[in-house]
Amino acid sequence: MRDFPPRRIVCLTEETVETLYLLGEQDRIVGVSGYAVRPPQVRREKPRVSAFISADMPKILALDPDLVLAFSDLQADIVGDLVRAGVAVHVFNQRDVAGILAMIRTLGAMVGAADRADPLAQNLEQRLTTIAATPRPPPRPKVYFEEWDDPLISGIGWVSELIEIAGGTDALPHLRAHQSAKDRIVTPDAVRAATPDVILASWCGKKVVPDRIRKREGWSDVPAVRNDRIVEIKSPIILQPGPAALTDGLDAIVKALWPEPP
């Protein structure tokens, strides 16, 4: 970086955008992912420069960033182009709750706001602890989280953890450690055999159609289908590994698993 803390930051994914806003450091952001929607004003305040696995390189370079923040190997091609252009890049790779909290603290330190990042992470940790300790009536509902519908892809690590914090049980817990989506592909028969009580779906930004799930061959006897417990969780609050997942995302899971009595 030319300066510390960096004065001109481009965020290629939404979780770093939300974190910088929560830290009061949004004035450092000069460009964001097109998927960034939190907080709502980001869409009118910051220019959009990328999708998830593609980016407008000339637009990014024209912004003259001190630092570009990226996420995971999925953005490796973008990162390679930026590095070859002489841009400083930091790539986060958080895939679980601990990683999300570490990302918040690391990003805070990178922008000279460690004194605000640590309390933010501590407050989120305390929130998770409080929700996890909330008494729930037995039994714990078995939950299948569907990240994509064709092929079927089950939930990533932090989603599985949040299901457990919310008082549920992951129906396919052996898949949560796999970082790559292709390693979390499941067959319809495997889901049916897991007999989930609740199906949570978030199709990576595509609208979930519960009727398609209900009509899958052989799924009429799945408890979640039989009891009409199929719930969409909006992608921006659960599939970005940042503050949104630990707040609104977790709250949405709790509501889906423990609906208020009529």
Side-chain angles (χ1 to χ4, degrees), residues 130-144:
T130 299
I131 291 174
T134 301
R136 311 284 186 192
R140 293 168 70 94
K142 194 186 302 182
V143 182
Y144 163 58

Side-chain angles (χ1 to χ4, degrees), residues 31-258:
V32 300
S33 159
Y35 293 104
V37 295
R38 291 171 64 93
Q41 63 264 35
V42 70
R43 295 186 71 82
R44 63 176 182 272
E45 290 180 351
K46 307 296 180 181
R48 294 187 285 276
V49 299
S50 70
F52 189 66
I53 58 173
S54 63
D56 187 330
M57 198 61 55
K59 194 170 185 179
I60 292 174
L61 296 178
L63 291 170
D64 192 27
D66 301 308
L67 176 65
V68 174
L69 300 172
F71 174 74
S72 87
D73 59 303
L74 295 173
Q75 295 190 323
D77 289 343
I78 303 172
V79 168
D81 289 341
L82 288 167
V83 170
R84 283 186 285 272
V87 178
V89 181
H90 182 88
V91 183
F92 287 103
N93 203 23
Q94 68 277 14
R95 307 295 181 120
D96 53 22
V97 169
I100 293 172
L101 295 169
M103 178 276 292
I104 292 169
R105 290 184 165 102
T106 301
L107 182 53
M110 292 175 76
V111 298
D115 59 331
R116 278 164 279 145
D118 194 56
L120 172 60
Q122 287 181 359
N123 288 340
L124 290 169
E125 284 178 299
Q126 183 56 54
R127 187 177 196 276
L128 299 178
T129 300
T130 299
I131 291 174
T134 301
R136 311 284 186 192
R140 293 168 70 94
K142 194 186 302 182
V143 182
Y144 163 58
F145 186 95
E146 187 167 285
E147 190 175 302
W148 192 246
D149 64 322
D150 185 21
L152 305 188
I153 298 176
S154 69
I156 198 167
W158 71 82
V159 175
S160 178
E161 289 181 82
L162 293 177
I163 287 168
E164 293 180 353
I165 290 168
T169 299
D170 188 345
L172 299 166
H174 60 290
L175 296 176
R176 69 195 255 173
H178 295 293
Q179 296 188 9
S180 173
K182 65 180 175 58
D183 293 328
R184 287 180 279 110
I185 293 174
V186 294
T187 65
D189 285 348
V191 177
R192 186 175 61 184
T195 63
D197 301 299
V198 181
I199 294 173
L200 304 180
S202 184
W203 291 348
C204 288
K206 181 174 72 173
K207 183 175 175 56
V208 171
V209 183
D211 204 43
R212 289 188 197 165
I213 297 175
R214 294 187 195 100
K215 291 180 177 178
R216 289 173 185 165
E217 186 177 353
W219 280 37
S220 60
D221 59 346
V222 172
V225 175
R226 188 171 62 241
N227 298 319
D228 196 25
R229 297 196 67 183
I230 303 170
V231 180
E232 178 179 17
I233 307 288
K234 298 295 185 182
S235 298
I237 64 170
I238 195 62
L239 294 185
Q240 59 125 315
L246 307 187
T247 54
D248 292 353
L250 176 55
D251 289 349
I253 294 173
V254 170
K255 184 177 180 181
L257 301 194
W258 309 104

Side-chain angles (χ1 to χ4, degrees), residues 4-19:
F4 181 82
R7 295 177 295 109
R8 301 180 63 79
I9 300 174
V10 168
C11 300
L12 300 183
T13 54
E14 59 265 53
E15 65 277 355
T16 50
V17 174
E18 182 177 17
T19 300

